[in-house]
Amino acid sequence: MAVILKPEEREFLENEGRIDPFRLLTDVSRIKKGIEPQYLNFDVRRLETGQYNSAYHFHRFAEELFLIISGSAALRTPEGIATLDCGDMVFFERGEAGAHQLYNPMPEPCVYLDIRTFCGYDVCEYPDSDKVYLVPSGEIFRKADQAGYFEGEESVREKWKDAAAEK
């Protein structure tokens, strides 16, 4: 069955449990229409001015693709900082080389399509804070100790300054 998701049906809600400056909004229209992908997961997301989409991370078992629908954002990868504009697409491979984080320094929101593979589980790693996140159980660990998702992420702005200075 084909399900059409119209732009005028989008309803962006803040992802649960978020803190400043990680307030990401996700369109819930696919959930309201009962779309539950098995292997190819996707969301339309909105990143407001001054916000980061997530902690800097990479996936061990998932590939990811962003398509910028409107606005623009700064992208942090192992290569440094790049600008993504409307229409740009960026692919993130599995593993450390695919590490990424978006930041919106612009006055208007950045809306993007986030497509990712899902084989039933994933392990995300967070190099800035030395954490491991087990998906879908939601367990987050620093070495042998479980940690909160945003522990160690308080200096995100400094990490961005350092990454920009390395360029």
Side-chain angles (χ1 to χ4, degrees):
M1 170 164 86
V3 180
I4 298 172
L5 300 168
K6 298 280 191 180
E8 60 271 12
E9 297 172 338
R10 288 188 186 133
E11 180 186 353
F12 289 98
L13 297 179
E14 186 174 308
N15 292 31
E16 207 172 296
R18 292 290 177 139
I19 64 168
D20 263 336
F22 298 95
R23 299 206 184 275
L24 180 65
L25 305 173
T26 299
D27 173 31
V28 295
S29 64
R30 85 165 169 93
I31 295 165
K32 285 185 171 185
K33 289 193 174 195
I35 300 171
E36 296 180 24
Q38 199 167 17
Y39 303 110
L40 182 65
N41 210 343
F42 65 94
D43 287 292
V44 177
R45 302 192 188 273
R46 189 172 76 205
L47 193 57
E48 299 293 332
T49 302
Q51 297 296 309
Y52 298 84
N53 70 323
S54 66
Y56 182 66
H57 70 285
F58 63 88
H59 303 265
R60 289 188 192 169
F61 300 102
E63 297 172 323
E64 201 163 8
L65 180 100
F66 293 170
L67 170 63
I68 306 300
I69 297 171
S70 66
S72 55
L75 170 67
R76 178 181 167 204
T77 68
E79 290 78 40
I81 307 291
T83 299
L84 299 177
D85 294 311
C86 184
D88 287 349
M89 216 169 21
V90 59
F91 170 74
F92 307 104
E93 63 186 272
R94 297 179 326 162
E96 290 181 55
H100 59 280
Q101 181 180 47
L102 284 181
Y103 171 67
N104 184 1
M106 306 306 286
E108 66 277 343
C110 175
V111 177
Y112 66 99
L113 176 62
D114 178 352
I115 302 171
R116 57 214 173 270
T117 58
F118 187 65
C119 61
Y121 60 90
D122 193 11
V123 175
C124 296
E125 292 191 34
Y126 301 87
D128 290 347
S129 55
D130 196 32
K131 293 184 306 203
V132 175
Y133 176 35
L134 306 180
V135 177
S137 72
E139 296 170 277
I140 300 171
F141 299 92
R142 183 175 298 116
K143 300 196 180 190
D145 301 326
Q146 190 167 359
Y149 183 79
F150 290 103
E151 266 184 51
E153 300 297 340
E154 297 82 3
S155 63
V156 65
R157 288 186 171 90
E158 293 303 315
K159 297 290 183 182
W160 274 71
K161 287 177 188 173
D162 293 345
E166 292 173 9
K167 194 172 183 185

